[in-house]
């Protein structure tokens, strides 16, 4: 079957299926069931497996949308891993501060994923719009003809790879710090390795799409996409930088702490939402 149009892919992958869907599942586990150590360990293990399997499936892809889809699996693994660490610590009744930090890292990465993955799908759509292909082997030298697409794609690629100063770096850093503080050293190491492989994958994307060879752009009449498409990409590119501010504790308390309180304190949830 043919993939969804790029704007729909951006909306589904960035917001609806991943961000909203994963958050609903997190709320169900925290607010409707009693957290046990066994379930928390299972969820954390599934998160780690998602990170590893997703990134290894992605790195061999040459179809842009398939590459991005597999990276969605990997990046959601970060979210599940981090939230799972928080669940383990809460189930064991130890280090509630570290548990809150781990959950904050997972929710922060969920928000960041909505920004950089939406942007990457819009970049893929812009490339396909002008070149008529999603195959990286058939591209090259597009940076000369599509500077806005190239620049925003670079921002999104560095963000998902966890390179500073973009938002993905700070959420991954919080996740890794929480894992180390909680003495989950192997999980912290896996998170670092997966991030390195993700960077390799997106360096391949940048090289083959934008810098690999001089494309016969004049013959193909290559040029930048229309302004509405450029505007959407630029806005999301700026968002990938601005969201880095959520790493500041005061800003994080403003945006993430209410969500963390709802997840970790059943009484807070009952009194605030249910009025009990």
């Amino acid at each position: 079957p043919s993939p969804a149009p790029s704007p729909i892919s951006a909306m589904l992958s960035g917001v609806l299926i991943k961000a909203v869907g994963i958050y609903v599942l997190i709320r169900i586990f925290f607010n409707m069931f009693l957290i046990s150590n066994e379930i928390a360990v299972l969820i954390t293990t599934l998160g780690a497996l998602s990170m590893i399997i997703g990134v290894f499936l992605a790195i061999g892809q040459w179809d842009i949308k398939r590459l991005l889809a597999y990276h969605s699996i990997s990046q959601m693994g970060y979210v599940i891993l981090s939230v799972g660490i928080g669940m383990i610590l809460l189930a064991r009744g130890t280090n509630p501060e570290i548990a809150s930090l781990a959950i904050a890292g997972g929710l922060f990465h969920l928000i960041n994923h909505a920004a950089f993955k939406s942007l990457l799908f819009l970049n893929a759509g812009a490339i396909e719009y002008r070149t008529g292909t999603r195959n990286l082997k058939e591209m090259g030298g597009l940076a000369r003809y599509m500077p806005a697409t190239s620049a925003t794609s670079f921002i999104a690629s560095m963000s998902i790879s966890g390179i500073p100063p973009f938002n993905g770096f700070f959420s991954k850093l919080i996740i890794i710090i929480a894992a180390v503080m909680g003495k989950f050293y192997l999980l912290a190491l896996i998170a670092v390795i997966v991030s390195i492989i993700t960077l390799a994958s997106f360096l391949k994307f940048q090289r083959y799409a934008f810098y690999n060879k001089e494309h016969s752009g004049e013959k193909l009449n290559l040029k930048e996409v229309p302004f509405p498409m450029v505007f959407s990409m630029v806005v999301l590119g700026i968002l990938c930088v601005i969201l880095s501010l959520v790493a500041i504790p005061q800003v994080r308390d403003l945006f993430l702490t209410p969500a963390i309180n709802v997840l970790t304190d059943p009484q807070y949830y009952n009194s605030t939402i249910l009025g009990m």
Side-chain angles (χ1 to χ4, degrees):
S2 60
S6 293
I8 302 301
S9 297
M11 182 179 66
L12 291 176
S13 181
V15 181
L16 293 180
I17 296 176
K18 302 303 187 303
V20 177
I22 292 294
Y23 183 69
V24 168
L25 289 176
I26 292 171
R27 288 289 296 271
I28 289 174
F29 275 105
F30 274 93
N31 297 135
M32 297 187 66
F33 301 105
L34 183 64
I35 300 175
S36 67
N37 186 67
E38 293 76 12
I39 294 297
V41 170
L42 175 61
I43 290 174
T44 307
T45 303
L46 291 175
L49 289 175
S50 295
M51 288 167 53
I52 297 168
I53 294 172
V55 78
F56 277 109
L57 287 172
I59 197 167
Q61 296 298 320
W62 292 97
D63 183 299
I64 300 179
K65 285 193 174 181
R66 287 181 181 272
L67 183 147
L68 296 180
Y70 283 125
H71 274 297
S72 290
I73 297 173
S74 181
Q75 296 305 307
M76 285 303 100
Y78 275 96
V79 176
I80 299 301
L81 173 82
S82 190
V83 172
I85 289 173
M87 292 176 69
I88 291 174
L89 295 175
L90 290 175
R92 295 175 179 174
T94 58
N95 300 317
E97 298 85 4
I98 301 175
S100 295
L101 182 65
I103 295 170
L107 295 180
F108 186 17
H109 198 66
L110 193 63
I111 296 170
N112 289 339
H113 181 270
F116 58 62
K117 186 52 66 67
S118 296
L119 176 53
L120 283 166
F121 270 109
L122 292 182
N123 293 144
I127 293 170
E128 186 179 6
Y129 181 82
R130 283 304 185 203
T131 65
T133 181
R134 299 194 308 270
N135 191 337
L136 289 169
K137 294 180 180 179
E138 298 176 5
M139 301 175 194
L142 296 180
R144 175 181 175 185
Y145 306 99
M146 305 175 70
T149 302
S150 174
T152 56
S153 173
F154 177 80
I155 291 172
S157 296
M158 295 302 100
S159 183
I160 193 174
S161 301
I163 303 299
F166 305 108
N167 57 346
F169 166 77
F170 294 100
S171 54
K172 287 185 178 183
L173 181 63
I174 292 174
I175 292 170
I176 293 168
I177 289 175
V180 171
M181 292 177 66
K183 298 183 180 179
F184 298 93
Y185 301 117
L186 177 60
L187 296 180
L189 179 62
I190 291 173
V192 172
I193 293 174
V194 169
S195 191
I196 293 171
I197 300 173
T198 301
L199 175 60
S201 180
F202 279 94
L203 286 176
K204 181 186 81 170
F205 168 45
Q206 290 293 310
R207 176 192 171 192
Y208 279 89
F210 297 104
Y211 304 105
N212 189 37
K213 60 185 177 182
E214 279 303 315
H215 207 297
S216 55
E218 289 79 7
K219 292 182 180 180
L220 295 176
N221 194 29
L222 287 179
K223 58 183 178 179
E224 190 57 85
V225 293
F227 174 75
M229 299 175 71
V230 172
F231 179 78
S232 301
M233 292 188 292
V234 169
V235 169
L236 286 172
I238 294 173
L239 195 60
C240 286
V241 178
I242 293 178
L243 281 173
S244 299
L245 297 175
V246 179
I248 300 173
Q250 292 80 359
V251 180
R252 188 168 72 240
D253 290 342
L254 183 64
F255 289 99
L256 294 181
T257 297
I260 296 169
N261 291 337
V262 168
L263 292 175
T264 57
D265 187 355
Q267 289 302 117
Y268 181 87
Y269 173 79
N270 292 335
S271 61
T272 304
I273 306 301
L274 302 179
M276 297 172 58

